[in-house]
Amino acid sequence: MFMAANWVTVRRYCARSFLTAVVTFAAVSTRAEGELQSIELGRCALENGEEILDCQVSFRVYGKRNEEASNIVLMPSWHNGDSKALFDYGYLGPGGIVDTHNYQVIAIDAFGNGVSSSPSNSLQVPFPEFTIRDMVNAQHRLLLEELGLEHIHAVVGASMGGHQVYEWMMMYPEFASHFVPIEASPWPTFYDYVKERGWMAALDSPLDSPQEIARVTDVISAMDTLLFWTPDYVNRELDEGTFESRFDAMRRHRSKERLIDRASQTRALLSHDIRRNREDLAKRLSRLHHISALAVVFESDMTVIPGPNLELAESLGFDVINISGDCGHFGPNPECYQSDVASHVNEFLKQGNQRHLLRRSLQFDGVSREYFVYVPDGHGDTPLPVVMGLHGLGSTATGFATSYDLNAHAKKNGYIIVYPQGSHFQGVIGDDSTVEPYLISTWNDETSNFTPTEAGPHCTDDRLKYPCPPDCGSCNHCAWTSCNDDSGFLLQVLDEVTREFNTDASRYYIVGNSNGGGMAMRLGCDHPERFAAIGVSIYQMPPGHTCGPASGLPMLHLYGEKDDGVGHDGTATSDGWIYTSAAKNTQDWAGAMNCGNEIETWRTAISEANGLICSAYTNCPNSGQEVASCMDPEAGHEWRGQRITQISASCVTAAQQESLPGQPLCPQPEASDQRWGMDLFWQFFQRYQRLP
């Protein structure tokens, strides 16, 4: 990263007089804010086997530490930038990308910038080549050995500073809670190699005369201008005065010392690749599935190509914010999109991506289908329970996760939660031809698209019309769900999750909402051997399609007394749809399990606190198993107690944005102790393990 105007003059320290101070951690907190400080590390061993003698790392501190020292953020400098420029250009500071009202920022000068150990300020000739990993190792030594820090809140960096963030993530993933690479990359593209090779072709020229230095300065300045901005931005924003006067403002590397320092950092960029020389790469990456990271990239960036961020993010499950506009690599600057970047980063630093999702896809029946997995951190090698969460009609997998804040519950209670995506298409419910088509997503619970039974029709003649899913070909009058083999798809998802993650196969559960509740019952009826218990919210099977498991499978059923979407008393809803009564739905499930006919009042602390009216079949062959049903007098067709009504269930997180680009992006849910809906199911689930 380089600044567009008022170019920062990097202070050059002569060897030995370069020593500002050797400081202790206590001394750091007593220095004036932003004062340059340096620490001698002795010898710094490098990847290539050489050493930097009299190795020094410089830094500045901005903001105040809180009492717990839990608000410390490390911010490495960008290519040829320094720690002061991070403050001067708003990357840190009051209201900055990292807001020093909330965080104490240690701004680090990277090797080769003329402030920390560099060719220009060292007596060591030739100065050894170093890498991004060498920079990170020295920074880790500074924080751990000299400043006494064993853990920090976050590492945040832009451009080459972001490359350092990626290496921090690989080398010391437990040292920071969060990682934010901005306009950086985990590895280079071919385009990146070409760009950096071009820089080095100029920088490797002899610098033995003022004329040669001027020539190299012109070549580097021209390349920078072509790479840092888009042509539209350059022509619009930089075309003031004569060409010579404007181009002269681009000439930042006017001395031999500046050019050899830049060459040293450019060589580090050429070797940057988190995959390089790591035979254990797969193992390292598998340990990062829990990583809390947020990448920010810029669509028009020609200096660091955004693509590899998206590839790594999909593998590890973190979000990538892709900002459009024509500022190119200067997107984080105050004259461009800094306020947007600051908003995203500071929101992330408050909450992290505790709610981040891993995207997975598989081929089933010749079609690529996707699902998402949240794995809570901090559980080491302990096998975790698995909850499969099934969304309702019109929802997305990640919208269901977000609008019910289920990942936060999984993190708090230590289970893996899996969100498969139902079949979907663009359509309209009803007969209004002026309405733009929207997302229709459903599950085939093998009831709604079948011929009505002797128990009666599924709908009235004048029912609200639902579109026929394309995968069905044709539909009967009361049909509305997918015709795909969703049971087969979901069982394959479970198989994939079992293979990839450390799970406790005796504690697999399902929670389904609305149409997802019907799908949960279908899986439970047909494959009870795969699950320990299921939870169904706001759904009953259509007439004649109630079912139950051939072997014991406890179920907790929750429905709303005011529900006019899926009725609970066996009569038609106002839209003309007919469902079995909640009482019969539960009775038939218990009957399939050979439970006794007696039904008892059922209470828990959560049901009592929230006014639920519950009953249960408790006299079942497998001791302790129950089939319980709770009516919520205050609920309509909604999972009250868990739903965040301000967030649309049809939104998508960044993990699903590429596959459903037309859906709105989900906002981050706010933390809350008031949600009890999933607590009700989880306390029921915890009582059960699948019997051998």
Side-chain angles (χ1 to χ4, degrees):
M1 183 72 185
F2 303 83
M3 294 296 101
N6 298 322
W7 303 108
V8 176
T9 302
V10 178
R11 177 180 176 186
R12 179 178 173 235
Y13 288 80
C14 296
R16 302 303 179 189
S17 65
F18 168 68
L19 303 178
T20 305
V22 177
V23 297
T24 65
F25 184 58
V28 168
S29 61
T30 61
R31 294 295 185 97
E33 182 170 79
E35 181 180 348
L36 185 66
Q37 307 175 54
S38 294
I39 287 186
E40 293 186 46
L41 298 178
R43 294 171 179 257
C44 287
L46 304 177
E47 272 196 279
N48 60 12
E50 297 185 58
E51 293 180 319
I52 297 178
L53 309 178
D54 299 320
C55 180
Q56 300 182 49
V57 177
S58 296
F59 61 97
R60 301 172 193 267
V61 179
Y62 298 87
K64 296 185 181 298
R65 280 186 296 147
N66 58 22
E67 291 183 3
E68 301 81 16
S70 61
N71 68 331
I72 297 173
V73 175
L74 178 73
M75 184 173 277
S77 60
W78 53 67
H79 192 197
N80 273 154
D82 66 7
S83 55
K84 186 174 184 298
L86 291 168
F87 178 82
D88 290 344
Y89 287 91
Y91 285 64
L92 62 91
I97 292 177
V98 179
D99 192 339
T100 51
H101 284 311
N102 301 317
Y103 303 99
Q104 182 181 72
V105 182
I106 301 176
I108 295 276
D109 289 295
F111 284 157
N113 75 340
V115 187
S116 286
S117 287
S118 307
S120 66
N121 60 30
S122 174
L123 293 177
Q124 191 174 348
V125 180
F127 193 80
E129 288 190 14
F130 53 84
T131 65
I132 301 293
R133 294 178 194 174
D134 294 327
M135 296 175 184
V136 170
N137 266 326
Q139 293 163 18
H140 182 256
R141 283 185 60 190
L142 168 73
L143 298 185
L144 183 65
E145 299 172 13
E146 304 298 332
L147 303 185
L149 295 171
E150 297 182 352
H151 186 82
I152 59 176
H153 185 67
V155 187
V156 180
S159 192
M160 190 185 77
H163 293 355
Q164 293 166 75
V165 174
Y166 273 123
E167 278 298 347
W168 266 100
M169 198 165 80
M170 294 295 292
M171 298 166 71
Y172 305 106
E174 303 300 326
F175 197 86
S177 297
H178 311 294
F179 299 86
V180 184
I182 302 169
E183 55 173 9
S185 183
W187 55 76
T189 63
F190 178 72
Y191 180 93
D192 295 317
Y193 280 126
V194 172
K195 166 202 68 185
E196 288 154 11
R197 185 65 60 86
W199 276 338
M200 286 310 305
L203 292 166
D204 279 340
S205 301
L207 301 174
D208 298 332
S209 68
Q211 294 79 12
E212 187 63 20
I213 290 170
R215 188 191 69 80
V216 172
T217 295
D218 275 9
V219 172
I220 291 295
S221 300
M223 286 187 65
D224 289 351
T225 304
L226 295 173
L227 288 167
F228 293 157
W229 300 281
T230 65
D232 286 344
Y233 187 89
V234 169
N235 289 332
R236 183 181 70 246
E237 302 292 338
L238 306 183
D239 188 18
E240 297 178 3
T242 65
F243 169 76
E244 285 302 327
S245 67
R246 292 301 300 145
F247 190 72
D248 188 59
M250 305 294 173
R251 294 186 176 101
R252 302 182 308 287
H253 306 289
R254 298 173 185 266
S255 68
K256 181 176 182 178
E257 290 81 6
R258 290 297 308 279
L259 290 170
I260 63 172
D261 281 346
R262 174 159 180 176
S264 71
Q265 288 195 340
T266 303
R267 291 188 186 95
L269 292 179
L270 273 167
S271 68
H272 169 61
D273 187 334
I274 65 168
R275 307 166 300 185
R276 178 176 54 83
N277 296 337
R278 282 181 168 142
E279 295 180 1
D280 62 343
L281 179 66
K283 185 176 181 180
R284 283 177 182 258
L285 291 177
S286 70
R287 292 172 178 170
L288 297 181
H289 278 162
H290 315 311
I291 206 77
S292 180
L294 175 73
V296 180
V297 299
F298 296 89
E299 190 175 57
S300 61
D301 192 346
M302 297 184 294
T303 305
V304 179
I305 303 303
N309 294 274
L310 302 172
E311 186 176 343
L312 184 64
E314 181 173 347
S315 171
L316 298 184
F318 61 84
D319 287 348
V320 179
I321 303 298
N322 193 348
I323 298 176
S324 60
D326 65 2
C327 269
H329 196 60
F330 278 57
N333 275 22
E335 70 272 14
C336 295
Y337 319 115
Q338 189 171 97
S339 60
D340 288 346
V341 178
S343 175
H344 287 298
V345 172
N346 280 293
E347 179 66 21
F348 172 75
L349 291 180
K350 289 179 187 176
Q351 300 191 48
N353 59 351
Q354 296 176 358
R355 300 163 174 81
H356 79 284
L357 291 163
L358 303 172
R359 180 184 181 274
R360 297 292 183 264
S361 63
L362 56 82
Q363 291 291 319
F364 185 79
D365 280 352
V367 177
S368 179
R369 298 191 64 174
E370 66 182 352
Y371 62 97
F372 300 84
V373 184
Y374 173 78
V375 184
D377 57 8
H379 293 275
D381 296 327
T382 304
L384 296 180
V386 174
V387 173
M388 177 175 278
L390 301 178
H391 63 75
L393 169 74
S395 177
T396 67
T398 58
F400 179 56
T402 307
S403 62
Y404 292 86
D405 201 15
L406 294 174
N407 290 357
H409 192 274
K411 178 179 178 62
K412 180 179 178 181
N413 293 280
Y415 61 86
I416 295 169
I417 188 162
V418 183
Y419 305 98
Q421 175 61 55
S423 301
H424 54 86
F425 63 99
Q426 296 291 313
V428 175
I429 297 173
D431 294 314
D432 189 347
S433 61
T434 66
V435 176
E436 288 291 324
Y438 47 82
L439 181 77
I440 305 288
S441 58
T442 64
W443 296 107
N444 177 16
D445 61 11
E446 301 179 19
T447 63
S448 295
N449 286 337
F450 287 75
T451 303
T453 69
E454 294 179 358
H458 300 179
C459 68
T460 61
D461 291 340
D462 61 348
R463 73 356 181 188
L464 175 67
K465 183 180 178 180
Y466 279 67
C468 180
D471 58 75
C472 293
S474 62
C475 295
N476 64 55
H477 179 73
C478 293
W480 57 275
T481 68
S482 160
C483 293
N484 286 323
D485 178 11
D486 284 330
S487 290
F489 164 60
L490 295 175
L491 292 175
Q492 187 170 332
V493 168
L494 279 183
D495 290 340
E496 295 290 332
V497 169
T498 302
R499 277 192 287 269
E500 182 175 359
F501 301 99
N502 187 14
T503 67
D504 181 350
S506 71
R507 294 188 291 165
Y508 281 13
Y509 310 101
I510 321 173
V511 61
N513 191 54
S514 191
N515 175 220
M519 193 67 234
M521 284 189 278
R522 172 55 51 206
L523 274 182
C525 290
D526 294 349
H527 300 280
E529 76 283 355
R530 298 299 297 270
F531 304 99
I534 79 166
V536 176
S537 172
I538 58 172
Y539 198 79
Q540 282 72 236
M541 287 294 199
H545 287 285
T546 57
C547 64
S551 58
L553 181 60
M555 177 178 73
L556 173 59
H557 177 236
L558 175 68
Y559 64 97
E561 185 176 21
K562 300 176 181 178
D563 191 346
D564 192 41
V566 175
H568 63 84
D569 60 2
T571 63
T573 68
S574 61
D575 286 337
W577 293 90
I578 305 170
Y579 296 87
T580 306
S581 70
K584 182 169 175 52
N585 199 69
T586 310
Q587 182 184 44
D588 288 355
W589 189 280
M593 289 174 54
N594 294 317
C595 301
N597 291 328
E598 303 84 6
I599 190 165
E600 301 177 4
T601 300
W602 190 84
R603 294 185 178 93
T604 70
I606 296 173
S607 70
E608 292 291 289
N610 293 284
L612 307 184
I613 301 171
C614 304
S615 59
Y617 294 89
T618 60
N619 184 21
C620 302
N622 293 320
S623 178
Q625 291 193 345
E626 296 178 340
V627 179
S629 182
C630 291
M631 182 180 74
D632 184 346
E634 298 301 319
H637 190 63
E638 193 49 87
W639 183 7
R640 190 178 74 91
Q642 196 63 35
R643 179 76 162 93
I644 305 171
T645 56
Q646 297 87 347
I647 299 178
S648 168
S650 63
C651 68
V652 292
T653 69
Q656 199 175 15
Q657 192 172 24
E658 186 173 352
S659 53
L660 291 174
Q663 299 308 111
L665 194 63
C666 298
Q668 187 81 279
E670 295 183 2
S672 172
D673 295 326
Q674 304 304 312
R675 297 179 192 123
W676 52 266
M678 191 59 191
D679 284 338
L680 181 73
F681 285 118
W682 182 243
Q683 289 188 8
F684 183 79
F685 291 166
Q686 283 184 296
R687 297 167 50 197
Y688 300 109
Q689 289 183 263
R690 184 169 57 83
L691 299 175

